[in-house]
Amino acid sequence: MRSRSPRNTAAHQGAAFTVTLDGREIRALPGQTVAAALWSAGVTSWRTTRVDGAPRGVFCGIGVCYDCLVTVNDRPNQRACLVPLHPGDAVRTQEGTGHDD
């Protein structure tokens, strides 16, 4: 039996492109999620919690826990494990709620 990769984490053939994380260029592949590209770049934490500022990254990897929230193209609270990247996307680490509280 052939195993299948989940759709939201499977990269497709094609040329690599760049996105930014807080202004730093990150390499991504077509179909790759924010979380997958960040992990590939060695980034494991990209959010802090609202109450005590604890670092967070991917926990469940399937969009249930909301630990991996980032701001993508000025849209806060995007689940990094579910959002596919596109050339030129701007990803920002997120503190607390992601809104200017």
Side-chain angles (χ1 to χ4, degrees):
M1 185 162 127
R2 189 178 123 194
S3 69
R4 302 180 82 204
S5 295
R7 181 177 169 201
N8 62 345
T9 59
H12 306 285
Q13 289 183 344
F17 55 88
T18 59
V19 298
T20 59
L21 171 65
D22 297 330
R24 170 185 162 199
E25 285 194 350
I26 302 287
R27 182 178 176 266
L29 298 172
Q32 201 169 37
T33 63
V34 173
L38 295 181
W39 267 357
S40 294
V43 180
T44 58
S45 174
W46 49 81
R47 177 177 88 84
T48 58
T49 58
R50 178 177 46 192
V51 176
D52 61 1
R56 293 290 188 261
V58 171
F59 181 71
C60 75
I62 58 173
V64 175
C65 73
Y66 292 83
D67 261 4
C68 65
L69 296 177
V70 291
T71 298
V72 180
N73 299 326
D74 296 322
R75 292 185 64 203
N77 299 313
Q78 301 300 298
R79 290 174 280 179
C81 65
L82 297 179
V83 175
L85 284 169
H86 304 285
D89 279 349
V91 180
R92 290 193 332 258
T93 54
Q94 186 166 304
E95 295 181 21
T97 64
H99 298 282
D100 296 329
D101 295 334

Coordinates of all heavy atoms in Angstrom, one line a residue:
M1 N 0.8 -1.2 0.0 CA 0.0 0.0 0.0 C 0.9 1.2 0.0 O 1.8 1.4 0.8 CB -0.9 0.0 1.2 CG -1.9 1.1 1.3 SD -3.2 0.7 2.4 CE -3.2 2.1 3.4
R2 N 0.6 2.2 -0.9 CA 1.4 3.4 -1.0 C 0.9 4.4 0.0 O -0.3 4.7 0.1 CB 1.2 3.9 -2.4 CG 2.2 5.0 -2.7 CD 2.0 5.4 -4.1 NE 1.6 6.9 -4.1 CZ 1.1 7.6 -5.0 NH1 0.9 7.0 -6.2 NH2 0.9 8.8 -4.9
S3 N 1.8 5.0 0.8 CA 1.4 6.1 1.7 C 1.3 7.4 1.0 O 2.0 7.6 0.0 CB 2.3 6.2 2.9 OG 3.5 6.7 2.5
R4 N 0.4 8.2 1.4 CA 0.2 9.5 0.8 C 0.5 10.6 1.8 O 0.2 10.5 3.0 CB -1.3 9.7 0.3 CG -1.6 8.6 -0.6 CD -3.1 8.7 -1.1 NE -3.0 9.7 -2.2 CZ -4.1 10.4 -2.5 NH1 -5.2 10.3 -1.9 NH2 -4.0 11.3 -3.5
S5 N 1.1 11.7 1.3 CA 1.4 12.9 2.2 C 0.1 13.7 2.3 O -0.7 13.8 1.3 CB 2.5 13.7 1.5 OG 3.7 13.0 1.5
P6 N -0.1 14.3 3.4 CA -1.3 15.2 3.6 C -1.1 16.3 2.5 O -0.1 16.8 2.3 CB -1.1 15.8 5.0 CG -0.2 14.8 5.7 CD 0.7 14.2 4.7
R7 N -2.2 16.7 2.0 CA -2.3 17.7 0.9 C -1.6 19.0 1.4 O -0.9 19.7 0.6 CB -3.7 18.0 0.5 CG -3.8 19.0 -0.6 CD -5.2 19.2 -1.1 NE -5.2 20.4 -1.9 CZ -6.2 21.0 -2.2 NH1 -7.4 20.6 -1.7 NH2 -6.2 22.1 -3.0
N8 N -1.8 19.4 2.6 CA -1.4 20.8 3.0 C 0.1 20.8 3.3 O 0.7 21.9 3.5 CB -2.2 21.3 4.2 CG -2.0 20.4 5.4 OD1 -1.5 19.3 5.3 ND2 -2.4 20.9 6.6
T9 N 0.8 19.7 3.4 CA 2.3 19.7 3.6 C 3.1 19.2 2.5 O 4.3 19.3 2.5 CB 2.6 18.9 4.9 OG1 2.2 17.5 4.6 CG2 2.0 19.4 6.1
A10 N 2.4 18.7 1.4 CA 3.2 18.2 0.3 C 3.7 19.3 -0.6 O 2.9 20.1 -1.1 CB 2.3 17.2 -0.5
A11 N 4.9 19.3 -0.9 CA 5.5 20.3 -1.8 C 5.4 19.7 -3.2 O 5.5 18.5 -3.4 CB 6.9 20.6 -1.5
H12 N 5.2 20.5 -4.2 CA 5.0 20.0 -5.6 C 6.3 20.4 -6.3 O 7.1 21.2 -6.0 CB 3.8 20.7 -6.2 CG 2.6 20.6 -5.5 ND1 1.8 19.4 -5.4 CD2 1.9 21.4 -4.6 CE1 0.8 19.5 -4.6 NE2 0.8 20.8 -4.1
Q13 N 6.5 19.6 -7.5 CA 7.6 20.0 -8.3 C 7.5 21.4 -8.8 O 6.4 21.8 -9.1 CB 7.7 19.0 -9.4 CG 8.1 17.6 -9.0 CD 8.3 16.7 -10.2 OE1 7.8 16.9 -11.3 NE2 9.0 15.6 -9.9
G14 N 8.6 22.0 -8.9 CA 8.6 23.4 -9.4 C 9.8 24.1 -8.8 O 10.4 23.7 -7.9
A15 N 10.0 25.3 -9.3 CA 11.1 26.1 -8.9 C 10.9 26.7 -7.5 O 9.8 27.1 -7.2 CB 11.4 27.2 -9.9
A16 N 11.9 26.7 -6.7 CA 11.9 27.3 -5.4 C 11.7 28.8 -5.5 O 12.0 29.4 -6.6 CB 13.1 27.0 -4.6
F17 N 11.1 29.4 -4.5 CA 10.9 30.9 -4.5 C 11.2 31.4 -3.1 O 11.4 30.6 -2.2 CB 9.5 31.2 -5.0 CG 8.4 30.6 -4.2 CD1 7.9 31.2 -3.1 CD2 7.9 29.4 -4.6 CE1 6.9 30.6 -2.3 CE2 6.8 28.8 -3.9 CZ 6.3 29.4 -2.8
T18 N 11.2 32.7 -3.0 CA 11.5 33.2 -1.6 C 10.3 33.9 -1.1 O 9.5 34.5 -1.8 CB 12.7 34.2 -1.6 OG1 12.4 35.3 -2.5 CG2 14.0 33.5 -2.0
V19 N 10.2 33.9 0.2 CA 9.2 34.6 1.0 C 10.1 35.3 2.1 O 11.3 35.0 2.2 CB 8.1 33.7 1.6 CG1 7.4 33.0 0.5 CG2 8.7 32.7 2.5
T20 N 9.5 36.1 2.9 CA 10.2 36.7 4.0 C 9.5 36.3 5.4 O 8.3 36.2 5.5 CB 10.3 38.2 3.9 OG1 9.0 38.8 3.9 CG2 11.1 38.6 2.7
L21 N 10.4 36.2 6.4 CA 9.9 36.1 7.8 C 10.6 37.2 8.5 O 11.8 37.2 8.7 CB 10.4 34.7 8.4 CG 10.1 34.6 9.9 CD1 8.6 34.6 10.2 CD2 10.8 33.4 10.5
D22 N 9.8 38.2 8.9 CA 10.3 39.4 9.6 C 11.5 40.0 8.8 O 12.5 40.4 9.4 CB 10.8 39.0 11.0 CG 9.7 38.5 11.9 OD1 8.5 38.9 11.7 OD2 9.9 37.7 12.8
G23 N 11.3 40.0 7.5 CA 12.3 40.6 6.6 C 13.4 39.7 6.2 O 14.2 40.1 5.2
R24 N 13.6 38.6 6.8 CA 14.6 37.6 6.4 C 14.1 36.7 5.3 O 13.0 36.2 5.4 CB 14.9 36.8 7.6 CG 15.8 35.6 7.4 CD 16.0 34.7 8.6 NE 16.5 33.4 8.3 CZ 16.4 32.4 9.1 NH1 15.8 32.5 10.3 NH2 16.8 31.2 8.7
E25 N 14.9 36.5 4.2 CA 14.5 35.7 3.1 C 14.5 34.2 3.5 O 15.5 33.8 4.1 CB 15.3 35.9 1.9 CG 15.0 37.2 1.2 CD 15.6 37.3 -0.2 OE1 16.5 36.5 -0.6 OE2 15.3 38.3 -0.9
I26 N 13.4 33.5 3.2 CA 13.3 32.1 3.4 C 13.0 31.4 2.1 O 12.1 31.9 1.3 CB 12.1 31.8 4.4 CG1 12.3 32.5 5.7 CG2 11.9 30.3 4.6 CD1 13.4 31.9 6.6
R27 N 13.6 30.3 1.8 CA 13.3 29.5 0.6 C 12.1 28.7 0.8 O 11.9 28.1 1.9 CB 14.5 28.7 0.3 CG 14.4 27.9 -1.0 CD 15.7 27.1 -1.2 NE 15.6 26.2 -2.3 CZ 15.2 24.9 -2.2 NH1 15.0 24.4 -1.1 NH2 15.2 24.2 -3.3
A28 N 11.2 28.6 -0.2 CA 10.0 27.8 -0.1 C 9.8 27.1 -1.5 O 10.4 27.5 -2.5 CB 8.8 28.7 0.2
L29 N 9.0 26.0 -1.4 CA 8.7 25.2 -2.6 C 7.2 25.3 -2.9 O 6.4 25.5 -2.0 CB 9.1 23.8 -2.4 CG 10.6 23.4 -2.1 CD1 10.7 22.0 -1.7 CD2 11.4 23.8 -3.4
P30 N 6.9 25.2 -4.2 CA 5.4 25.3 -4.5 C 4.6 24.3 -3.7 O 5.0 23.1 -3.6 CB 5.4 25.0 -6.0 CG 6.8 25.3 -6.5 CD 7.7 25.0 -5.3
G31 N 3.5 24.7 -3.1 CA 2.6 23.9 -2.3 C 3.1 23.7 -0.9 O 2.3 23.1 -0.1
Q32 N 4.2 24.3 -0.5 CA 4.7 24.1 0.9 C 3.9 25.1 1.8 O 3.6 26.2 1.4 CB 6.2 24.4 0.9 CG 6.9 23.9 2.1 CD 8.4 24.0 1.9 OE1 8.9 24.9 1.3 NE2 9.1 23.0 2.4
T33 N 3.6 24.7 3.0 CA 3.0 25.5 4.0 C 4.0 26.4 4.6 O 5.2 26.2 4.6 CB 2.3 24.7 5.1 OG1 3.2 24.0 5.8 CG2 1.2 23.8 4.5
V34 N 3.5 27.5 5.3 CA 4.4 28.4 6.1 C 5.2 27.6 7.1 O 6.4 27.7 7.1 CB 3.5 29.4 6.8 CG1 4.4 30.3 7.7 CG2 2.8 30.3 5.8
A35 N 4.6 26.7 7.8 CA 5.3 25.9 8.8 C 6.3 25.0 8.2 O 7.5 24.9 8.7 CB 4.3 25.0 9.6
A36 N 6.1 24.4 7.1 CA 7.0 23.5 6.5 C 8.2 24.3 6.0 O 9.4 23.9 6.2 CB 6.4 22.7 5.3
A37 N 8.0 25.4 5.4 CA 9.1 26.3 4.9 C 10.0 26.8 6.1 O 11.2 26.8 6.1 CB 8.6 27.4 4.1
L38 N 9.3 27.2 7.2 CA 10.0 27.7 8.4 C 10.8 26.6 9.0 O 12.0 26.8 9.4 CB 9.1 28.3 9.4 CG 8.4 29.6 8.9 CD1 7.5 30.1 10.0 CD2 9.3 30.6 8.4
W39 N 10.3 25.4 9.1 CA 11.0 24.3 9.7 C 12.2 24.0 8.8 O 13.3 23.7 9.3 CB 10.1 23.0 9.7 CG 9.4 22.8 11.0 CD1 9.5 23.6 12.2 CD2 8.5 21.8 11.3 NE1 8.7 23.1 13.2 CE2 8.1 22.0 12.7 CE3 8.0 20.7 10.6 CZ2 7.2 21.1 13.3 CZ3 7.1 19.9 11.2 CH2 6.7 20.1 12.5
S40 N 12.0 24.0 7.5 CA 13.1 23.7 6.6 C 14.3 24.7 6.7 O 15.4 24.4 6.5 CB 12.6 23.7 5.1 OG 11.8 22.6 4.9
A41 N 13.9 25.9 7.1 CA 14.9 27.0 7.3 C 15.5 27.0 8.8 O 16.3 27.9 9.1 CB 14.3 28.3 7.0
G42 N 15.1 26.0 9.6 CA 15.6 25.9 10.9 C 14.9 26.8 11.9 O 15.3 26.9 13.1
V43 N 13.7 27.3 11.6 CA 12.9 28.2 12.5 C 11.9 27.3 13.1 O 11.1 26.7 12.4 CB 12.2 29.3 11.7 CG1 11.4 30.2 12.7 CG2 13.3 30.2 11.0
T44 N 11.9 27.2 14.4 CA 10.9 26.3 15.1 C 9.9 27.0 16.0 O 9.0 26.4 16.5 CB 11.7 25.3 16.0 OG1 12.5 26.0 17.0 CG2 12.5 24.4 15.2
S45 N 10.1 28.3 16.2 CA 9.2 29.1 17.0 C 9.0 30.5 16.3 O 9.9 31.1 15.9 CB 9.8 29.4 18.4 OG 9.0 30.3 19.1
W46 N 7.7 30.9 16.2 CA 7.4 32.1 15.5 C 6.2 32.8 16.1 O 5.6 33.7 15.5 CB 7.2 31.9 14.0 CG 6.2 30.7 13.7 CD1 4.8 30.8 13.7 CD2 6.6 29.4 13.4 NE1 4.3 29.6 13.5 CE2 5.4 28.7 13.2 CE3 7.8 28.8 13.2 CZ2 5.4 27.3 12.9 CZ3 7.7 27.4 12.8 CH2 6.5 26.7 12.7
R47 N 5.9 32.5 17.3 CA 4.8 33.2 18.0 C 5.1 33.2 19.5 O 5.8 32.3 20.0 CB 3.5 32.5 17.7 CG 2.3 33.1 18.5 CD 1.0 32.4 18.1 NE 0.7 31.2 19.0 CZ 0.1 31.3 20.2 NH1 -0.2 32.5 20.7 NH2 -0.1 30.2 20.9
T48 N 4.6 34.2 20.2 CA 4.6 34.2 21.7 C 3.2 34.2 22.2 O 2.3 34.8 21.6 CB 5.5 35.4 22.2 OG1 4.9 36.6 21.8 CG2 6.9 35.3 21.8
T49 N 3.1 33.7 23.4 CA 1.7 33.6 24.0 C 1.4 35.0 24.6 O 2.2 35.8 24.9 CB 1.7 32.6 25.1 OG1 2.6 32.8 26.1 CG2 1.8 31.2 24.5
R50 N 0.1 35.2 24.7 CA -0.5 36.5 25.1 C -0.1 36.8 26.6 O 0.2 37.9 27.0 CB -2.0 36.5 24.9 CG -2.7 37.7 25.4 CD -4.1 37.6 25.1 NE -4.7 36.3 25.4 CZ -5.9 35.9 25.1 NH1 -6.6 36.6 24.3 NH2 -6.3 34.7 25.5
V51 N -0.2 35.8 27.5 CA 0.0 36.0 28.9 C 1.4 36.1 29.3 O 1.8 37.1 30.0 CB -0.7 34.9 29.7 CG1 -0.5 35.1 31.2 CG2 -2.2 34.9 29.4
D52 N 2.2 35.1 29.0 CA 3.6 35.1 29.5 C 4.7 35.2 28.5 O 5.9 35.1 28.8 CB 3.8 33.9 30.4 CG 3.7 32.6 29.7 OD1 3.4 32.6 28.5 OD2 3.8 31.5 30.4
G53 N 4.4 35.4 27.2 CA 5.4 35.5 26.2 C 6.1 34.3 25.8 O 7.2 34.3 25.3
A54 N 5.6 33.1 26.2 CA 6.3 31.8 25.9 C 6.3 31.6 24.4 O 5.3 31.9 23.6 CB 5.5 30.7 26.6
P55 N 7.4 31.0 23.8 CA 7.5 30.8 22.4 C 6.7 29.6 22.0 O 6.5 28.6 22.7 CB 9.0 30.4 22.2 CG 9.5 30.0 23.6 CD 8.6 30.7 24.6
R56 N 6.1 29.7 20.8 CA 5.3 28.7 20.2 C 5.6 28.5 18.7 O 6.1 29.4 18.0 CB 3.8 29.0 20.3 CG 3.2 29.0 21.7 CD 3.2 27.6 22.2 NE 2.5 27.6 23.5 CZ 3.1 27.5 24.7 NH1 4.4 27.6 24.8 NH2 2.4 27.4 25.8
G57 N 5.4 27.3 18.2 CA 5.6 26.9 16.8 C 4.5 25.9 16.5 O 3.4 26.0 17.0
V58 N 4.9 24.9 15.8 CA 3.9 23.8 15.4 C 3.7 22.9 16.6 O 4.7 22.4 17.2 CB 4.3 23.0 14.2 CG1 3.4 21.8 14.0 CG2 4.3 23.9 12.9
F59 N 2.5 22.6 17.0 CA 2.3 21.6 18.0 C 1.5 20.4 17.4 O 2.1 19.3 17.3 CB 1.5 22.2 19.1 CG 1.2 21.2 20.3 CD1 2.2 20.8 21.1 CD2 -0.1 20.7 20.4 CE1 2.0 19.8 22.1 CE2 -0.4 19.8 21.5 CZ 0.7 19.4 22.3
C60 N 0.3 20.6 16.9 CA -0.5 19.5 16.3 C -0.2 19.3 14.8 O -0.2 18.2 14.3 CB -1.9 19.7 16.5 SG -2.7 21.0 15.5
G61 N 0.1 20.3 14.1 CA 0.4 20.2 12.7 C -0.8 20.0 11.8 O -0.6 19.8 10.6
I62 N -2.0 20.0 12.3 CA -3.2 19.8 11.5 C -4.3 20.9 11.7 O -5.4 20.7 11.3 CB -3.8 18.4 11.8 CG1 -4.2 18.3 13.3 CG2 -2.9 17.3 11.4 CD1 -5.0 17.0 13.6
G63 N -3.9 22.0 12.3 CA -4.8 23.1 12.4 C -5.8 23.1 13.5 O -6.8 23.9 13.5
V64 N -5.6 22.3 14.5 CA -6.5 22.2 15.6 C -6.1 23.0 16.8 O -7.0 23.7 17.4 CB -6.7 20.7 16.1 CG1 -7.6 20.6 17.3 CG2 -7.2 19.8 14.9
C65 N -4.8 23.1 17.1 CA -4.4 23.7 18.4 C -4.1 25.2 18.3 O -4.1 25.9 19.3 CB -3.1 23.0 18.8 SG -1.6 23.4 17.9
Y66 N -3.9 25.8 17.2 CA -3.7 27.2 17.0 C -2.4 27.7 17.6 O -2.2 28.9 17.9 CB -4.8 28.1 17.5 CG -6.1 27.9 16.7 CD1 -7.0 26.9 17.0 CD2 -6.4 28.8 15.8 CE1 -8.1 26.7 16.2 CE2 -7.6 28.7 15.0 CZ -8.4 27.6 15.2 OH -9.6 27.5 14.5
D67 N -1.4 26.8 17.9 CA -0.1 27.2 18.5 C 0.7 27.9 17.4 O 1.6 28.6 17.8 CB 0.6 26.1 19.1 CG 0.5 26.0 20.6 OD1 -0.3 26.8 21.2 OD2 1.1 25.1 21.2
C68 N 0.5 27.6 16.2 CA 1.4 28.0 15.1 C 1.0 29.3 14.4 O 1.4 29.6 13.3 CB 1.6 26.9 14.1 SG 0.0 26.5 13.2
L69 N 0.2 30.2 15.1 CA -0.3 31.4 14.4 C 0.8 32.3 14.0 O 1.8 32.6 14.7 CB -1.2 32.1 15.4 CG -2.5 31.4 15.7 CD1 -3.3 32.2 16.8 CD2 -3.3 31.0 14.5
V70 N 0.7 32.9 12.8 CA 1.6 33.9 12.2 C 0.7 35.0 11.5 O -0.5 34.8 11.3 CB 2.5 33.3 11.2 CG1 3.6 32.4 11.8 CG2 1.8 32.6 10.1
T71 N 1.4 36.0 11.2 CA 0.7 37.1 10.3 C 1.3 36.9 8.9 O 2.5 36.9 8.7 CB 1.0 38.5 10.9 OG1 0.5 38.6 12.2 CG2 0.4 39.5 10.0
V72 N 0.4 36.7 8.0 CA 0.8 36.5 6.6 C 0.2 37.6 5.7 O -1.0 37.8 5.7 CB 0.4 35.1 6.0 CG1 0.8 35.0 4.6 CG2 0.9 34.0 6.9
N73 N 1.0 38.4 5.1 CA 0.6 39.5 4.2 C -0.4 40.4 5.0 O -1.5 40.7 4.5 CB 0.0 39.0 2.9 CG 1.0 38.2 2.1 OD1 2.1 38.5 2.1 ND2 0.5 37.2 1.4
D74 N 0.0 40.8 6.2 CA -0.8 41.7 7.1 C -2.1 41.1 7.6 O -2.9 41.8 8.2 CB -1.0 43.0 6.5 CG 0.2 43.8 6.2 OD1 1.1 43.7 7.1 OD2 0.4 44.4 5.1
R75 N -2.3 39.8 7.5 CA -3.5 39.1 8.0 C -3.0 38.3 9.3 O -2.4 37.3 9.1 CB -4.1 38.2 7.0 CG -4.7 38.9 5.9 CD -5.5 38.0 4.9 NE -6.6 37.4 5.6 CZ -7.1 36.2 5.3 NH1 -6.7 35.6 4.2 NH2 -8.1 35.7 6.0
P76 N -3.4 38.7 10.5 CA -3.0 38.0 11.7 C -3.7 36.7 11.9 O -4.8 36.5 11.2 CB -3.3 39.0 12.8 CG -4.4 39.8 12.3 CD -4.2 39.9 10.8
N77 N -3.2 35.9 12.8 CA -3.9 34.7 13.2 C -4.1 33.6 12.1 O -5.1 32.9 12.1 CB -5.2 35.0 13.9 CG -5.0 35.8 15.1 OD1 -4.1 35.6 16.0 ND2 -5.7 36.9 15.2
Q78 N -3.1 33.5 11.2 CA -3.1 32.5 10.2 C -2.4 31.3 10.7 O -1.3 31.4 11.3 CB -2.4 33.0 8.9 CG -3.1 34.3 8.4 CD -4.5 34.1 8.0 OE1 -4.8 33.2 7.1 NE2 -5.4 34.8 8.6
R79 N -3.0 30.1 10.6 CA -2.4 28.9 11.0 C -1.3 28.4 10.0 O -1.5 28.0 8.9 CB -3.4 27.8 11.2 CG -4.3 28.1 12.4 CD -5.4 27.1 12.5 NE -6.5 27.5 11.5 CZ -7.6 26.9 11.4 NH1 -7.9 25.8 12.0 NH2 -8.5 27.3 10.5
A80 N 0.0 28.5 10.5 CA 1.1 28.2 9.7 C 1.1 26.8 9.1 O 1.6 26.6 8.0 CB 2.4 28.5 10.4
C81 N 0.5 25.9 9.8 CA 0.5 24.5 9.3 C -0.5 24.3 8.2 O -0.5 23.3 7.5 CB 0.2 23.6 10.5 SG -1.4 23.7 11.2
L82 N -1.4 25.3 7.9 CA -2.4 25.1 6.9 C -2.2 26.1 5.7 O -2.7 25.8 4.6 CB -3.8 25.3 7.5 CG -4.2 24.4 8.6 CD1 -5.6 24.8 9.1 CD2 -4.2 22.9 8.1
V83 N -1.5 27.2 5.9 CA -1.5 28.2 4.9 C -0.3 27.9 3.9 O 0.8 27.9 4.2 CB -1.2 29.6 5.5 CG1 -1.0 30.7 4.4 CG2 -2.4 30.0 6.4
P84 N -0.7 27.7 2.6 CA 0.3 27.5 1.6 C 1.0 28.8 1.2 O 0.3 29.9 1.2 CB -0.4 26.9 0.4 CG -1.8 27.4 0.6 CD -2.1 27.6 2.0
L85 N 2.3 28.8 1.0 CA 3.0 30.0 0.6 C 3.0 30.2 -0.9 O 2.8 29.3 -1.7 CB 4.5 29.8 1.0 CG 4.7 30.0 2.5 CD1 6.2 29.6 2.9 CD2 4.5 31.4 2.9
H86 N 3.1 31.5 -1.2 CA 3.2 32.0 -2.6 C 4.4 32.9 -2.7 O 4.8 33.5 -1.8 CB 1.9 32.7 -3.0 CG 0.7 31.9 -2.8 ND1 0.3 30.8 -3.6 CD2 -0.2 31.9 -1.8 CE1 -0.8 30.3 -3.2 NE2 -1.1 30.9 -2.1
P87 N 5.0 33.0 -3.9 CA 6.2 33.8 -4.1 C 5.9 35.3 -3.6 O 4.8 35.8 -3.8 CB 6.4 33.8 -5.6 CG 5.8 32.5 -6.1 CD 4.6 32.3 -5.2
G88 N 6.8 35.8 -2.8 CA 6.7 37.1 -2.3 C 5.9 37.3 -1.0 O 5.8 38.4 -0.5
D89 N 5.3 36.2 -0.5 CA 4.6 36.4 0.8 C 5.4 36.9 1.9 O 6.6 36.6 2.0 CB 4.0 35.0 1.2 CG 2.7 34.6 0.5 OD1 2.2 35.5 -0.2 OD2 2.3 33.5 0.6
A90 N 4.8 37.8 2.7 CA 5.5 38.3 3.9 C 4.9 37.8 5.1 O 3.8 38.0 5.4 CB 5.4 39.9 3.9
V91 N 5.7 37.0 5.8 CA 5.3 36.3 7.1 C 6.0 37.1 8.2 O 7.1 37.4 8.2 CB 5.7 34.9 7.1 CG1 5.3 34.2 8.4 CG2 5.2 34.1 5.9
R92 N 5.2 37.3 9.3 CA 5.7 38.0 10.5 C 5.4 37.1 11.7 O 4.3 36.6 11.8 CB 5.1 39.4 10.7 CG 5.5 40.4 9.6 CD 5.2 41.8 10.0 NE 4.0 42.0 10.8 CZ 2.8 42.4 10.4 NH1 2.6 42.6 9.1 NH2 1.8 42.6 11.2
T93 N 6.4 37.1 12.6 CA 6.1 36.5 13.9 C 5.0 37.2 14.6 O 4.8 38.4 14.3 CB 7.4 36.4 14.8 OG1 7.9 37.8 14.9 CG2 8.4 35.5 14.2
Q94 N 4.3 36.5 15.4 CA 3.1 37.1 16.1 C 3.3 37.1 17.6 O 3.6 36.1 18.2 CB 1.9 36.3 15.6 CG 0.6 36.9 16.1 CD -0.6 36.3 15.4 OE1 -0.7 36.4 14.2 NE2 -1.5 35.8 16.2
E95 N 3.0 38.2 18.2 CA 3.0 38.3 19.6 C 1.5 38.4 20.1 O 0.8 39.2 19.6 CB 3.8 39.6 20.1 CG 5.2 39.5 19.7 CD 6.0 40.7 20.2 OE1 5.5 41.4 21.1 OE2 7.1 40.9 19.6
G96 N 1.2 37.6 21.1 CA -0.1 37.6 21.7 C -1.2 37.4 20.7 O -1.2 36.4 20.0
T97 N -2.2 38.3 20.6 CA -3.3 38.1 19.7 C -3.1 38.4 18.3 O -3.9 38.1 17.4 CB -4.5 39.0 20.2 OG1 -4.1 40.4 20.0 CG2 -4.9 38.8 21.6
G98 N -2.0 39.1 18.0 CA -1.7 39.4 16.6 C -2.3 40.8 16.2 O -2.1 41.3 15.1
H99 N -3.1 41.4 17.1 CA -3.7 42.7 16.8 C -3.0 43.7 17.6 O -2.3 43.4 18.7 CB -5.2 42.6 17.2 CG -5.9 41.7 16.4 ND1 -6.3 41.9 15.1 CD2 -6.4 40.4 16.7 CE1 -7.0 40.9 14.6 NE2 -7.0 39.9 15.5
D100 N -3.0 44.9 17.2 CA -2.4 46.0 18.0 C -3.3 46.3 19.2 O -4.1 47.2 19.2 CB -2.2 47.3 17.1 CG -1.3 47.0 16.0 OD1 -0.4 46.2 16.2 OD2 -1.5 47.7 14.9
D101 N -3.1 45.5 20.3 CA -3.9 45.7 21.5 C -3.5 46.9 22.3 O -2.4 47.3 22.5 CB -3.7 44.5 22.4 CG -4.3 43.2 21.8 OD1 -5.2 43.3 20.9 OD2 -3.8 42.1 22.1

